[in-house]
Amino acid sequence: MDVNKVLFISQEIAPYLADSDLSLFGRNLPQAIQEAGVEVRTFMPRYGIINERRNQLHEVIRLSGLNIVIDDTDHPLIIKVATLQPSRMQVYFIDNDDYFLRHTAKGLETDLSPEDNDERIIFFVRGVVETVKKLRWEPSVIHCTGWVTALTPLYLKKMYADDPAFVNTKTVYSLYDKNFDGTLDPRMVEKLLMDGFTEEDLKSLTGGDIDYKKINKIAIDYADAVVQSTPTVDQELIDYAIKSGKPFLAYPGEENYAQAYLDFYRSL
């Protein structure tokens, strides 16, 4: 396929968060794809630990203002943007006072208030999709990295399948070794049903606690392709991805990996 626009939806991006395999991947791969001549945009959550003044985040009024309803409660969507130097790559931040703190030096909200993670990821994914629609920007590929992004393929395939902005888009999901402890709110399926999904749509999340494996499996179910983005990933998830029959890119290593990803995108 012709790949001229790639949207990266990332759980973490350096330098807005401390360096880690996940945050460095969230910065380095989009930059490398942009340097290859592809138009790139990136999204991440606006965690409270991010210093907005130092990183020069500012609100995009024309994109903000939408209310996202989760569990019969309205949550205002706030969009902020910054420019990553020296690449001049735009990074958009999904913000909301209910799910992301104003200021914190203690850590990420996903760890500080894990009881809200089910709604936090629903809000984040819906916020990204609605913002991309407002931007009138039609990506060839959407690459999702981190479990916070795992509902993106589900929403795109079931709720936005006929939307002109995404009708020709391929979704790629990265399997990563960064998981979360415990389980998500057992009412998560109920909340998703209220959003318009069917029980059949959500079958990978039913039958017991919603853990890290289940949230990754539903991403695999609806993604167009899957990649292994770290050397070690839970073997059950790799087997699940391969068994799905979807295009699968094994860990490409640390050298020239951007070209491997770009070639993979073009093969879809």
Side-chain angles (χ1 to χ4, degrees):
M1 66 179 295
D2 182 26
V3 177
N4 53 10
K5 296 178 181 178
V6 178
L7 172 66
F8 290 92
I9 308 176
S10 301
Q11 184 166 323
E12 300 179 15
I13 300 175
Y16 304 110
L17 298 178
D19 286 0
S20 67
D21 288 344
L22 190 56
S23 68
L24 290 171
F25 184 86
R27 180 190 69 194
N28 294 338
L29 180 60
Q31 285 187 169
I33 297 299
Q34 180 173 274
E35 289 169 1
V38 178
E39 190 176 340
V40 163
R41 286 182 178 171
T42 63
F43 280 79
M44 70 173 289
R46 203 286 303 155
Y47 302 105
I49 202 170
I50 297 172
N51 187 311
E52 295 194 14
R53 178 173 295 182
R54 183 173 66 235
N55 291 294
Q56 299 183 358
L57 273 66
H58 63 271
E59 184 176 352
V60 186
I61 302 298
R62 69 183 179 87
L63 298 177
S64 301
L66 177 72
N67 281 347
I68 293 178
V69 180
I70 301 175
D71 200 18
D72 280 337
T73 301
D74 284 354
H75 301 276
L77 174 63
I78 301 169
I79 306 299
K80 295 177 179 175
V81 69
T83 302
L84 193 58
Q85 302 295 349
S87 64
R88 299 198 59 78
M89 183 174 72
Q90 284 192 314
V91 180
Y92 290 85
F93 297 82
I94 299 296
D95 196 5
N96 172 270
D97 289 347
D98 298 324
Y99 300 120
F100 302 106
L101 304 173
R102 289 292 90 202
H103 303 285
T104 178
K106 297 180 180 180
L108 302 184
E109 288 83 339
T110 49
D111 298 320
L112 298 174
S113 55
E115 67 277 6
D116 294 327
N117 277 343
D118 66 317
E119 293 190 11
R120 185 174 287 115
I121 63 178
I122 292 171
F123 181 86
F124 175 64
V125 167
R126 288 188 57 191
V128 171
V129 175
E130 291 294 339
T131 302
V132 173
K133 286 178 59 179
K134 279 191 174 183
L135 287 168
R136 300 180 184 276
W137 196 76
E138 301 176 9
S140 309
V141 172
I142 296 178
H143 189 154
C144 309
T145 304
W147 60 265
V148 167
T149 74
L151 293 181
T152 307
L154 168 68
Y155 272 92
L156 290 176
K157 283 292 186 294
K158 291 296 180 177
M159 302 297 288
Y160 296 90
D162 298 324
D163 193 292
F166 307 110
V167 69
N168 295 314
T169 300
K170 299 294 185 181
T171 57
V172 176
Y173 184 72
S174 275
L175 293 176
Y176 238 83
D177 62 359
K178 184 171 183 177
N179 58 15
F180 60 85
D181 295 326
T183 60
L184 299 179
D185 187 337
R187 289 192 62 241
M188 182 179 189
V189 169
E190 181 183 340
K191 295 170 187 177
L192 288 168
L193 290 172
M194 293 171 67
D195 223 3
F197 295 106
T198 67
E199 292 184 0
E200 179 65 20
D201 295 336
L202 306 174
K203 61 184 179 182
S204 290
L205 297 180
T206 58
D209 294 335
I210 302 173
D211 58 9
Y212 171 73
K213 290 183 181 180
K214 280 190 175 180
I215 204 70
N216 274 271
K217 285 180 178 179
I218 199 164
I220 295 168
D221 288 343
Y222 291 100
D224 293 299
V226 183
V227 298
Q228 178 185 343
S229 292
T230 47
T232 57
V233 172
D234 189 294
Q235 189 62 44
E236 182 180 338
L237 294 176
I238 293 177
D239 292 344
Y240 189 84
I242 293 173
K243 187 177 179 181
S244 74
K246 297 177 180 182
F248 179 78
L249 177 66
Y251 180 62
E254 297 183 3
E255 295 184 7
N256 301 317
Y257 69 92
Q259 187 60 51
Y261 279 103
L262 186 55
D263 291 342
F264 187 65
Y265 300 156
R266 288 170 173 160
S267 73
L268 300 179

